[in-house]
Protein backbone atom coordinates (compact mmCIF):
# COMPACT_ATOMS: atom_id res chain seq x y z
CA UNK A 1 0.00 0.00 0.00
CA UNK A 2 1.19 3.51 -0.82
CA UNK A 3 1.07 6.36 1.68
CA UNK A 4 0.38 10.06 1.30
CA UNK A 5 -1.10 11.68 -1.78
CA UNK A 6 0.26 8.88 -3.96
CA UNK A 7 -2.02 6.48 -2.10
CA UNK A 8 -5.29 8.34 -2.79
CA UNK A 9 -8.08 6.36 -4.39
CA UNK A 10 -10.50 8.01 -6.84
CA UNK A 11 -13.90 6.40 -7.64
CA UNK A 12 -16.32 7.80 -10.22
CA UNK A 13 -19.99 7.23 -9.34
CA UNK A 14 -21.47 8.92 -12.38
CA UNK A 15 -24.82 7.27 -13.25
CA UNK A 16 -25.30 5.43 -9.98
CA UNK A 17 -25.12 6.18 -6.29
CA UNK A 18 -22.94 3.90 -4.12
CA UNK A 19 -23.47 6.14 -1.08
CA UNK A 20 -19.67 6.43 -0.59
CA UNK A 21 -18.24 8.95 1.84
CA UNK A 22 -14.62 10.00 2.18
CA UNK A 23 -13.49 9.57 5.80
CA UNK A 24 -9.92 10.81 5.22
CA UNK A 25 -7.65 11.98 2.46
CA UNK A 26 -4.10 10.84 1.87
CA UNK A 27 -1.68 13.69 2.36
CA UNK A 28 2.08 14.03 2.19
CA UNK A 29 3.98 15.22 5.22
CA UNK A 30 5.26 18.73 4.56
CA UNK A 31 8.32 20.12 6.27
CA UNK A 32 9.36 23.74 5.95
CA UNK A 33 13.06 23.97 6.66
CA UNK A 34 14.63 27.26 7.66
CA UNK A 35 18.39 27.21 7.82
CA UNK A 36 20.64 29.30 10.03
CA UNK A 37 21.23 31.85 7.26
CA UNK A 38 17.46 32.45 6.96
CA UNK A 39 16.89 30.60 3.69
CA UNK A 40 13.78 28.42 3.55
CA UNK A 41 12.79 25.36 1.55
CA UNK A 42 9.82 23.06 1.65
CA UNK A 43 10.20 19.28 1.64
CA UNK A 44 7.55 16.57 1.15
CA UNK A 45 7.49 12.95 2.28
CA UNK A 46 4.87 10.21 1.85
CA UNK A 47 5.81 8.50 5.14
CA UNK A 48 7.06 11.36 7.32
CA UNK A 49 10.72 10.45 6.85
CA UNK A 50 12.86 13.18 5.29
CA UNK A 51 16.14 11.64 4.16
CA UNK A 52 19.41 13.48 3.63
CA UNK A 53 18.05 16.97 4.21
CA UNK A 54 21.71 17.63 4.85
CA UNK A 55 24.52 15.15 4.12
CA UNK A 56 24.01 12.30 6.58
CA UNK A 57 20.98 13.91 8.28
CA UNK A 58 17.51 12.28 8.26
CA UNK A 59 14.46 13.64 10.10
CA UNK A 60 11.29 11.73 11.01
CA UNK A 61 8.12 13.78 11.61
CA UNK A 62 6.20 12.42 14.63
CA UNK A 63 3.25 14.86 14.75
CA UNK A 64 1.78 17.88 13.00
CA UNK A 65 2.76 21.32 14.30
CA UNK A 66 2.96 24.85 13.03
CA UNK A 67 5.34 25.87 15.80
CA UNK A 68 8.98 26.42 15.01
CA UNK A 69 11.08 23.41 16.04
CA UNK A 70 14.81 23.92 16.46
CA UNK A 71 17.05 21.02 15.48
CA UNK A 72 20.74 21.15 16.38
CA UNK A 73 22.92 18.92 14.24
CA UNK A 74 26.42 18.11 15.50
CA UNK A 75 29.01 16.17 13.58
CA UNK A 76 29.76 12.70 15.01
CA UNK A 77 33.50 12.21 14.57
CA UNK A 78 33.72 8.94 16.50
CA UNK A 79 33.12 6.55 13.56
CA UNK A 80 35.90 8.25 11.58
CA UNK A 81 38.25 8.14 14.58
CA UNK A 82 37.47 4.45 15.10
CA UNK A 83 38.25 3.68 11.46
CA UNK A 84 41.54 5.58 11.51
CA UNK A 85 42.59 3.80 14.73
CA UNK A 86 41.74 0.46 13.11
CA UNK A 87 43.88 1.37 10.08
CA UNK A 88 46.84 2.27 12.30
CA UNK A 89 46.45 -0.98 14.24
CA UNK A 90 46.22 -3.15 11.10
CA UNK A 91 49.21 -1.45 9.52
CA UNK A 92 51.32 -2.11 12.59
CA UNK A 93 50.16 -5.75 12.67
CA UNK A 94 51.29 -6.10 9.06
CA UNK A 95 54.74 -4.76 9.98
CA UNK A 96 54.97 -7.19 12.92
CA UNK A 97 54.07 -10.09 10.63
CA UNK A 98 56.65 -9.04 8.04
CA UNK A 99 59.29 -8.71 10.75
CA UNK A 100 58.50 -12.21 12.03
CA UNK A 101 58.74 -13.67 8.53
CA UNK A 102 62.02 -11.93 7.66
CA UNK A 103 63.79 -12.22 11.03
CA UNK A 104 67.46 -13.25 11.34
CA UNK A 105 68.92 -14.32 14.69
CA UNK A 106 72.69 -13.86 14.58
CA UNK A 107 73.24 -15.96 17.71
CA UNK A 108 71.24 -19.01 16.63
CA UNK A 109 71.38 -18.42 12.84
CA UNK A 110 67.59 -18.81 12.86
CA UNK A 111 65.88 -17.16 9.90
CA UNK A 112 62.27 -16.38 9.05
CA UNK A 113 60.36 -18.06 6.28
CA UNK A 114 60.74 -15.01 3.99
CA UNK A 115 64.26 -14.00 5.05
CA UNK A 116 65.97 -12.37 2.09
CA UNK A 117 62.71 -12.10 0.14
CA UNK A 118 62.61 -9.06 -2.11
CA UNK A 119 58.81 -9.27 -2.13
CA UNK A 120 58.57 -8.72 1.63
CA UNK A 121 60.84 -5.68 1.35
CA UNK A 122 58.81 -4.24 -1.55
CA UNK A 123 55.54 -4.62 0.39
CA UNK A 124 56.88 -2.68 3.36
CA UNK A 125 58.61 -0.08 1.20
CA UNK A 126 55.53 0.56 -0.95
CA UNK A 127 53.30 1.39 2.01
CA UNK A 128 55.97 3.30 3.93
CA UNK A 129 56.81 5.48 0.94
CA UNK A 130 53.14 6.35 0.38
CA UNK A 131 52.30 7.07 4.01
CA UNK A 132 55.46 9.01 4.81
CA UNK A 133 55.41 11.13 1.66
CA UNK A 134 53.17 13.88 0.37
CA UNK A 135 49.85 13.31 -1.39
CA UNK A 136 49.12 15.73 -4.21
CA UNK A 137 45.85 16.25 -6.06
CA UNK A 138 43.64 15.59 -3.04
CA UNK A 139 42.77 19.05 -1.82
CA UNK A 140 44.59 21.34 0.57
CA UNK A 141 45.86 18.54 2.80
CA UNK A 142 49.13 16.96 1.74
CA UNK A 143 50.07 14.27 4.28
CA UNK A 144 48.74 12.00 7.02
CA UNK A 145 50.61 14.13 9.56
CA UNK A 146 47.83 16.69 9.22
CA UNK A 147 45.43 13.98 10.44
CA UNK A 148 47.55 13.30 13.52
CA UNK A 149 49.27 10.21 12.11
CA UNK A 150 53.01 9.72 11.91
CA UNK A 151 55.82 7.20 12.20
CA UNK A 152 57.66 6.38 15.42
CA UNK A 153 61.39 5.66 15.66
CA UNK A 154 60.61 1.94 15.27
CA UNK A 155 58.73 2.50 12.01
CA UNK A 156 55.28 1.94 13.53
CA UNK A 157 52.32 4.24 12.86
CA UNK A 158 51.17 6.43 15.72
CA UNK A 159 47.99 8.48 16.09
CA UNK A 160 47.38 11.76 17.87
CA UNK A 161 43.66 11.29 18.45
CA UNK A 162 43.07 14.82 19.73
CA UNK A 163 44.57 16.31 16.56
CA UNK A 164 42.44 14.01 14.40
CA UNK A 165 39.23 14.95 16.24
CA UNK A 166 40.03 18.66 15.89
CA UNK A 167 40.67 18.26 12.16
CA UNK A 168 37.43 16.36 11.67
CA UNK A 169 35.44 18.94 13.63
CA UNK A 170 36.87 22.03 11.92
CA UNK A 171 37.98 20.86 8.46
CA UNK A 172 35.78 17.88 7.69
CA UNK A 173 35.47 18.77 4.00
CA UNK A 174 39.26 18.88 3.60
CA UNK A 175 39.61 15.55 5.40
CA UNK A 176 36.94 13.95 3.22
CA UNK A 177 38.59 15.17 0.03
CA UNK A 178 42.04 14.08 1.18
CA UNK A 179 40.83 10.58 2.00
CA UNK A 180 38.18 9.84 -0.60
CA UNK A 181 38.91 11.88 -3.75
CA UNK A 182 38.73 9.55 -6.74
CA UNK A 183 42.09 8.39 -8.13
CA UNK A 184 44.24 10.82 -6.12
CA UNK A 185 42.88 10.51 -2.55
CA UNK A 186 44.75 8.53 0.09
CA UNK A 187 42.31 5.62 0.03
CA UNK A 188 42.55 5.35 -3.77
CA UNK A 189 46.34 5.34 -3.54
CA UNK A 190 46.31 2.69 -0.81
CA UNK A 191 44.01 0.58 -2.96
CA UNK A 192 46.40 0.96 -5.91
CA UNK A 193 49.29 -0.26 -3.76
CA UNK A 194 47.24 -3.25 -2.61
CA UNK A 195 46.34 -4.07 -6.22
CA UNK A 196 49.99 -3.91 -7.30
CA UNK A 197 50.94 -6.22 -4.45
CA UNK A 198 48.09 -8.74 -4.40
CA UNK A 199 45.60 -7.85 -7.14
CA UNK A 200 44.11 -10.27 -9.65
CA UNK A 201 46.18 -8.92 -12.54
CA UNK A 202 49.94 -8.88 -12.90
CA UNK A 203 50.53 -8.22 -9.21
CA UNK A 204 53.70 -8.81 -7.21
CA UNK A 205 52.49 -11.77 -5.17
CA UNK A 206 50.56 -13.35 -8.03
CA UNK A 207 53.64 -13.19 -10.26
CA UNK A 208 55.76 -14.59 -7.43
CA UNK A 209 53.26 -17.37 -6.87
CA UNK A 210 53.30 -18.27 -10.57
CA UNK A 211 57.11 -18.26 -10.56
CA UNK A 212 57.20 -20.55 -7.52
CA UNK A 213 54.59 -22.84 -9.09
CA UNK A 214 56.72 -23.16 -12.23
CA UNK A 215 59.80 -23.83 -10.10
CA UNK A 216 57.96 -26.45 -8.07
CA UNK A 217 56.72 -28.10 -11.26
CA UNK A 218 60.25 -28.08 -12.70
CA UNK A 219 61.69 -29.50 -9.48
CA UNK A 220 59.00 -32.17 -9.45
CA UNK A 221 59.86 -33.17 -13.01
CA UNK A 222 63.57 -33.25 -12.16
CA UNK A 223 62.83 -35.37 -9.09
CA UNK A 224 60.80 -37.81 -11.16
CA UNK A 225 63.58 -37.97 -13.77
CA UNK A 226 66.17 -38.62 -11.06
CA UNK A 227 63.96 -41.33 -9.56
CA UNK A 228 63.79 -43.04 -12.94
CA UNK A 229 67.57 -42.84 -13.32
CA UNK A 230 68.08 -44.14 -9.78
CA UNK A 231 65.74 -47.05 -10.42
CA UNK A 232 67.58 -47.86 -13.66
CA UNK A 233 70.92 -47.65 -11.86
CA UNK A 234 69.58 -49.88 -9.09
CA UNK A 235 68.45 -52.44 -11.62
CA UNK A 236 71.87 -52.33 -13.33
CA UNK A 237 73.74 -52.75 -10.07
CA UNK A 238 71.46 -55.60 -9.03
CA UNK A 239 72.12 -57.35 -12.35
CA UNK A 240 75.86 -56.87 -11.86
CA UNK A 241 75.58 -58.17 -8.32
CA UNK A 242 73.69 -61.29 -9.40
CA UNK A 243 76.19 -61.87 -12.25
CA UNK A 244 79.07 -61.51 -9.79
CA UNK A 245 77.35 -63.95 -7.44
CA UNK A 246 77.01 -66.47 -10.25
CA UNK A 247 80.65 -65.99 -11.29
CA UNK A 248 81.85 -66.48 -7.70
CA UNK A 249 79.70 -69.58 -7.40
CA UNK A 250 81.22 -71.02 -10.61
CA UNK A 251 84.73 -70.20 -9.41
CA UNK A 252 84.07 -71.94 -6.13
CA UNK A 253 82.74 -75.00 -7.99
CA UNK A 254 85.78 -75.05 -10.29
CA UNK A 255 88.13 -74.69 -7.36
CA UNK A 256 86.47 -77.61 -5.61
CA UNK A 257 86.79 -79.74 -8.78
CA UNK A 258 90.47 -78.87 -9.13
CA UNK A 259 91.11 -79.81 -5.53
CA UNK A 260 89.57 -83.20 -6.10
CA UNK A 261 91.67 -83.71 -9.25
CA UNK A 262 94.88 -82.94 -7.34
CA UNK A 263 93.77 -85.32 -4.60
CA UNK A 264 93.20 -88.17 -7.04
CA UNK A 265 96.49 -87.46 -8.79
CA UNK A 266 98.42 -87.74 -5.54
CA UNK A 267 96.93 -91.20 -4.75
CA UNK A 268 97.99 -92.62 -8.17
CA UNK A 269 101.64 -91.50 -7.73
CA UNK A 270 101.96 -93.50 -4.54
Amino acid sequence: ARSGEAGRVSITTSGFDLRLQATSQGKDAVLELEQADGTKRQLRSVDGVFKDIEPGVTLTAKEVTEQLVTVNVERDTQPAVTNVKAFVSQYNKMLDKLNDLTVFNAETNEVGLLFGSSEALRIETSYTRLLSGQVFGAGSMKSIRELGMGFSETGKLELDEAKLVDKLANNSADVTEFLTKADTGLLARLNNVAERIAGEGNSLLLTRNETLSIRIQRNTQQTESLNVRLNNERERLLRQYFAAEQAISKLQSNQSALSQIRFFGGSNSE
Side-chain angles (χ1 to χ4, degrees), residues 93-261:
K93 287 180 180 179
M94 181 193 71
L95 287 186
D96 289 338
K97 191 64 175 180
L98 287 174
N99 290 335
D100 290 341
L101 292 172
T102 58
V103 68
F104 171 71
N105 190 319
E107 296 181 356
T108 63
N109 287 328
E110 180 183 0
V111 297
L113 184 63
L114 297 180
F115 175 73
S117 167
S118 61
E119 287 78 15
L121 178 61
R122 287 178 62 183
I123 290 172
E124 181 176 355
T125 302
S126 296
Y127 281 108
T128 302
R129 183 183 296 116
L130 171 60
L131 295 174
S132 61
Q134 289 191 316
V135 177
F136 296 100
S140 61
M141 295 181 60
K142 294 295 184 287
S143 76
I144 64 173
R145 290 187 295 274
E146 297 180 56
L147 289 177
M149 287 188 286
F151 286 94
S152 67
E153 294 180 356
T154 61
K156 296 289 189 68
L157 268 182
E158 295 179 328
L159 174 64
D160 183 342
E161 188 171 338
K163 185 174 181 179
L164 174 61
V165 171
D166 180 70
K167 198 72 174 180
L168 289 169
N170 298 306
N171 302 93
S172 61
D174 292 341
V175 174
T176 300
E177 185 175 14
F178 175 73
L179 293 176
T180 65
K181 188 173 182 178
D183 300 328
T184 56
L186 180 63
L187 296 182
R189 294 172 186 266
L190 286 170
N191 184 65
N192 289 337
V193 172
E195 284 295 318
R196 290 198 300 269
I197 292 174
E200 294 182 356
N202 190 28
S203 63
L204 172 67
L205 295 184
L206 185 60
T207 302
R208 180 59 173 169
N209 181 65
E210 292 175 351
T211 301
L212 291 176
S213 297
I214 293 173
R215 185 177 299 176
I216 291 172
Q217 184 179 7
R218 185 182 301 121
N219 290 340
T220 300
Q221 292 172 347
Q222 291 177 348
T223 301
E224 292 174 350
S225 177
L226 287 174
N227 284 335
V228 171
R229 292 176 59 185
L230 287 173
N231 285 331
N232 292 337
E233 184 69 12
R234 177 177 176 274
E235 292 295 332
R236 187 184 67 82
L237 292 174
L238 284 174
R239 286 194 298 269
Q240 289 182 348
Y241 172 77
F242 291 139
E245 282 286 312
Q246 291 176 352
I248 291 171
S249 178
K250 289 180 180 180
L251 288 173
Q252 289 175 341
S253 297
N254 292 337
Q255 185 178 6
S256 176
L258 290 172
S259 297
Q260 291 178 0
I261 292 172

